[in-house]
Structure formats: C-alpha cells, structure tokens
Amino acid sequence: MIEGPYFALVVLGALWCGVAAGVFVAFSTFVMRGLGALPAASGIAAMNSINVAAVTPAFMVVFLGAAVVCAVIAVVTFVLWPDQGTIELLLGCALYLAGSFGVTVLANIPRNEALARLAGDEESERSATQWNRYLSEWVVWNHIRGGAAIAASASFVLALT
C-alpha cells in the first residue's frame, strides 16, 4: 500500500506531470495555431523568441522537476515494491520519462535548434518551407509528449486509488 512520504511523493508526481501536460496542451491547442497564422518570417521569429524565453527557472522546475520526481518514484517503487499500484507507478514513470522528457530531448529540441539556425534568413522561401514543416512535425511530437504527461499523471492517480 502507498502511504506516508511515498504517498506524498506520488501525489506530487501526479500534480507535476499534470502541470507539464497543461503546458504542452496549451502549446498544441492555441499557441502553435496562433504562430501558424502569422506570416512565416514572423512565426519563425516569435517561436525562436519563445524557445529562448522558455529556458527559465520556472519552466525548468516544472519540466525537469517532473522528470526527477518520476525517477525517484521509479527507484522507490523498485526498492519498496508495494503490493498495490506497482504497475501503474512504473508505467507513469516510463510515460513521463520516455514520452515527455525523452520526446522533448530527441524530437522537439532538435527541431527548435534547426529553427534557430534560420534566424536572419526568415524572409526566404526556404525558411517558409522549413517553417511549415516545423509546425506540423513539432506539433505532432508535442501532442505525444502532452499525451504522455497526461497519461503519466493518470497512472499515478490510479496507483493511489
């Protein structure tokens, strides 16, 4: 049974993953749509500005904090191996660590770095083509990481019930 500090840790994991999911869902549902409605040069400049502004302590605490909490939950789950909730806890950890954190590192960040290389050339036809590809690919990967964070949060809640 999940109780005491372990219970509090799992609640924190559910909340933290839920907050991260909210950020990802917000980007997928309206931020990227708004940027996509802009002319390519403006969209590229705005997204590059967002990518720089996102690397703040507040966002890093949410994004990396959820990953750290998930890693700790995974370790504690293996050490304590509770009778109930083990599968849900490990699934939640895997979903966030691979599906949100891993996708960010392997899919979203490389696309952001490629977009940053277009700075100064936003007006070209090549940049407009790359922007359109960026929008569609980045949003697909963002849906995946948002869905994974939501599923991780739900898995933690299920483990607690």
Side-chain angles (χ1 to χ4, degrees), residues 24-81:
F24 299 143
V25 168
F27 260 83
S28 286
T29 58
F30 61 86
V31 172
M32 296 308 285
R33 283 186 184 180
L35 293 177
L38 297 172
S42 299
I44 292 167
M47 188 63 187
N48 279 332
S49 181
I50 288 169
N51 287 335
V52 169
V55 186
T56 63
F59 178 70
M60 290 295 114
V61 164
V62 169
F63 179 65
L64 296 176
V68 169
V69 168
C70 286
V72 171
I73 290 170
V75 169
V76 172
T77 299
F78 277 118
V79 170
L80 296 180
W81 203 259

Side-chain angles (χ1 to χ4, degrees), residues 48-134:
N48 279 332
S49 181
I50 288 169
N51 287 335
V52 169
V55 186
T56 63
F59 178 70
M60 290 295 114
V61 164
V62 169
F63 179 65
L64 296 176
V68 169
V69 168
C70 286
V72 171
I73 290 170
V75 169
V76 172
T77 299
F78 277 118
V79 170
L80 296 180
W81 203 259
D83 294 334
Q84 298 174 348
T86 301
I87 292 170
E88 293 88 348
L89 291 172
L90 294 177
L91 178 62
C93 294
L95 282 165
Y96 189 83
L97 292 171
S100 291
F101 186 80
V103 165
T104 299
V105 171
L106 298 174
N108 293 90
I109 290 174
R111 283 168 176 76
N112 292 345
E113 291 170 347
L115 190 69
R117 290 191 290 275
L118 298 179
D121 188 35
E122 293 95 346
E123 298 289 338
S124 75
E125 188 174 318
R126 180 182 71 83
S127 291
T129 300
Q130 287 185 291
W131 170 243
N132 288 327
R133 187 174 71 235
Y134 172 89

